[in-house]
Amino acid sequence: MKAISLFQKGSHQWLCFGRDPERDEKIIDTNQYMVMNGDQSIILDPGGIELFSQMLTSVLKYTTLDKIKALFASHQDPDIISSLGLWDQCLPNAKLFSPWIWESFLAHFGMNNIKFEGIPDEGSSYQLGNTNLEFIPAHYLHSSGNFNVYDKEAKILMSGDIGAALDEDEAPFFVEDFDAHIPKMEFFHRRWMPSNKAKDDWIANVRKLDIEIMAPQHGGLFKGEMVTEFLNWLERLDVGIAQNK
Amino acid sequence: MSQENNAADTFISVAHVASELFKAQSIAEELSITSKNARALAVRAGSTAAGFNEITRFIEGLSKLTIEAASTVNTIAISQTKIAASLFRTGGFIARLNRVQYEPKEGEAHALAQIFEKVNGEKRHLEQRISASLRDLTDRLDETKMELRATQVVSVVSRVEASRASEDFQDSLNSVADKVSSAGSRINEHLENARRHLAHLN
Ligand SMILES: [Fe+2]
Ligand SMILES: [Fe+2]
């Protein structure tokens, strides 16, 4: 699994793990994130069971298990958090931050030691060392209980499935050509996202934030101008296209 | 065989045992109805079939015994399935932990040593619990089989009683004997099957 640093200032660091060349091709490629500050770390959308060994391998290069204080799961999907039962055995004192509505569902992945911290619908925040991470509501994008993570200092928005693209393994970590990137995102957003209203509310909300990097859970990350390009594109897109026929 | 397969094998086998016992239970329930009919029959047959009352009580007892055994086995099977599922998870966890590529830096403690130790201990403990509860299950099945041997005796005695009864009732009483004997051997067959499902795990 490859790793890149998205931000570093003192002990405050954002890492992105992904583009795993050893991944079975049946498994959708995912980006996992780890934020570190002082001697504390949080893993954002830690990923599926099949990725656990590679993730633990990667994580141990940068931190130790006792420093990992929390996990964050933007929503309940298996590619986000089916590894929970395995982390549960490695991090007996950690917390899991996730939308409150998913508590009893996530327990199916095995949660005997980790403490569940339900994020209320309106969002909340988490103090990691000296920095504050905000859990920003992104419900119905695509999951009915769903949050992004915003780091004001690093100017990074971890956007979960929003901005997700089905990219090739060799693709660069950052989107370079927005137009060429559209076909990799379009079907995913139109089919997985159920609500135009939720989409518009989220865009309005996110436009108020100072964002340097928007980091989705699948495919390339958006940096600088590309963030605005993405928001403009998503604004024009009509989502929720599935029909019962 | 790998640990994961072992655990999976256990819960598949135990599920089969529970389903055999469920079938035995339905037969025992039929047997209970047969016994009630036989009692009514004995009343109508009057003094010539007096011995039948004793027999029906006995049939009733056998049916209860089988139903109880099925319920006990079911309880053991459920707890066994839970332990096997934990073992399956633990096995999977150890396999994934083994795949982590990690070398402790000079002078640093091994970050995963404690986890390995804990999880291996858990695994041993779960394995012990599984074999203890397998023994329980086997004992319970053997016990029930022993107790069910009596059905054949009951059937023979029923036939003797039938021959003493007045002719009007002989056919009906003989049919009771047939039903008891057939139920007994069918239940026995299911217990044998259950036993076979466990045989290769011990
Ligand atoms: Fe998802
Ligand atoms: Fe996803």
Side-chain angles (χ1 to χ4, degrees):
Chain A
M1 185 176 286
K2 295 175 197 162
I4 55 160
S5 174
L6 303 180
F7 170 87
Q8 178 152 31
K9 193 173 156 198
S11 69
H12 185 183
Q13 189 176 12
W14 271 75
L15 291 158
C16 172
F17 307 106
R19 303 288 153 83
D20 182 15
E22 290 150 56
R23 194 187 83 252
D24 186 320
E25 60 178 45
K26 277 183 283 194
I27 297 167
I28 188 167
D29 186 42
T30 48
N31 301 323
Q32 289 69 231
Y33 299 93
M34 181 162 74
V35 191
M36 301 187 284
N37 193 297
D39 56 4
Q40 299 188 359
S41 307
I42 181 171
I43 303 174
L44 311 180
D45 287 353
I49 291 178
E50 294 302 323
L51 235 75
F52 173 78
S53 303
Q54 297 94 301
M55 258 306 277
L56 187 52
T57 298
S58 304
V59 160
L60 286 175
K61 290 177 186 159
Y62 300 92
T63 188
T64 53
L65 290 176
D66 57 313
K67 288 181 181 155
I68 303 171
K69 302 296 180 197
L71 302 175
F72 164 83
S74 59
H75 60 287
Q76 83 294 6
D77 270 347
D79 63 329
I80 301 275
I81 188 67
S82 64
S83 59
L84 178 60
L86 301 167
W87 289 108
D88 188 70
Q89 312 231 28
C90 295
L91 309 172
N93 304 313
K95 291 173 177 174
L96 170 66
F97 289 89
S98 202
W100 70 274
I101 64 165
W102 297 125
E103 177 170 9
S104 55
F105 294 71
L106 290 174
H108 280 277
F109 289 135
M111 189 168 51
N112 299 315
N113 302 306
I114 286 179
K115 185 169 179 282
F116 187 85
E117 296 277 355
I119 307 172
D121 282 348
E122 65 275 19
S124 62
S125 67
Y126 177 62
Q127 188 69 32
L128 180 80
N130 293 323
T131 200
N132 195 259
L133 299 176
E134 282 175 61
F135 301 134
I136 309 254
H139 307 307
Y140 301 103
L141 296 167
H142 64 90
S143 171
S144 39
N146 186 45
F147 288 94
N148 295 164
V149 178
Y150 179 59
D151 182 335
K152 202 174 182 176
E153 201 189 334
K155 298 182 185 170
I156 296 175
L157 179 74
M158 203 290 280
S159 59
D161 277 334
I162 308 170
L166 307 174
D167 240 340
E168 307 87 49
D169 284 352
E170 317 76 55
F173 267 101
F174 286 96
V175 175
E176 287 163 2
D177 180 345
F178 191 81
D179 288 338
H181 197 63
I182 291 174
K184 299 175 192 168
M185 308 189 286
E186 188 166 335
F187 178 72
F188 181 84
H189 287 79
R190 297 190 70 198
R191 181 63 181 84
W192 261 262
M193 307 289 173
S195 162
N196 280 318
K197 181 174 184 306
K199 180 199 73 164
D200 293 339
D201 288 349
W202 178 82
I203 294 171
N205 196 20
V206 160
R207 282 202 198 277
K208 293 180 218 153
L209 306 173
D210 184 5
I211 300 169
E212 179 55 29
I213 293 174
M214 188 183 118
Q217 192 230 353
H218 309 276
L221 284 64
F222 304 86
K223 191 173 187 173
E225 271 304 291
M226 293 292 174
V227 178
T228 320
E229 289 251 29
F230 174 77
L231 295 177
N232 293 343
W233 171 79
L234 188 62
E235 199 157 43
R236 292 192 301 270
L237 194 73
D238 197 19
V239 302
I241 55 163
Q243 284 170 11
N244 299 325
K245 272 186 188 154
Chain B
M1 195 186 291
S2 83
Q3 199 47 250
E4 281 182 54
N5 288 341
N6 232 332
D9 206 25
T10 304
F11 54 76
I12 292 165
S13 300
V14 170
H16 277 125
V17 170
S19 93
E20 292 293 343
L21 264 289
F22 175 74
K23 288 171 199 156
Q25 187 183 340
S26 340
I27 300 168
E29 279 156 5
E30 272 171 42
L31 194 61
S32 165
I33 295 167
T34 303
S35 132
K36 285 192 182 94
N37 290 340
R39 194 175 297 176
L41 205 57
V43 170
R44 280 198 287 141
S47 58
T48 55
F52 238 92
N53 265 326
E54 203 48 45
I55 295 168
T56 54
R57 256 195 294 279
F58 206 77
I59 303 172
E60 190 59 40
L62 284 175
S63 133
K64 245 176 103 184
L65 181 128
T66 310
I67 294 170
E68 273 166 21
S71 134
T72 315
V73 165
N74 209 34
T75 311
I76 302 175
I78 291 169
S79 93
Q80 179 120 0
T81 304
K82 279 186 188 159
I83 307 168
S86 307
L87 187 60
F88 182 74
R89 268 194 192 167
T90 307
F93 178 60
I94 293 174
R96 296 202 158 79
L97 219 48
N98 279 331
R99 264 182 257 141
V100 173
Q101 288 157 23
Y102 164 80
E103 283 294 331
K105 294 180 195 96
E106 277 274 316
E108 235 177 51
H110 195 290
L112 302 177
Q114 252 184 340
I115 296 172
F116 266 117
E117 195 181 314
K118 186 170 155 267
V119 80
N120 281 324
E122 258 164 38
K123 194 183 107 187
R124 275 193 301 278
H125 177 66
L126 289 170
E127 282 166 348
Q128 281 160 6
R129 278 177 64 197
I130 288 230
S131 32
S133 100
L134 270 178
R135 270 195 304 279
D136 256 14
L137 208 51
T138 313
D139 289 352
R140 196 69 182 96
L141 286 175
D142 289 347
E143 230 173 81
T144 313
K145 267 183 70 185
M146 285 279 282
E147 289 166 326
L148 276 173
R149 277 189 197 159
T151 46
Q152 297 315 318
V153 180
V154 170
S155 164
V156 171
V157 177
S158 298
R159 260 179 249 283
V160 173
E161 284 295 327
S163 70
R164 280 193 206 148
S166 65
E167 237 169 78
D168 305 355
F169 290 104
Q170 278 192 4
D171 281 354
S172 308
L173 293 173
N174 269 326
S175 120
V176 169
D178 288 345
K179 279 182 184 158
V180 173
S181 146
S182 128
S185 61
R186 275 150 66 215
I187 291 175
N188 203 51
E189 220 171 276
H190 289 302
L191 293 176
E192 293 269 341
N193 289 345
R195 205 52 185 78
R196 254 198 302 282
H197 282 297
L198 290 180
H200 72 290
L201 293 176
N202 286 329

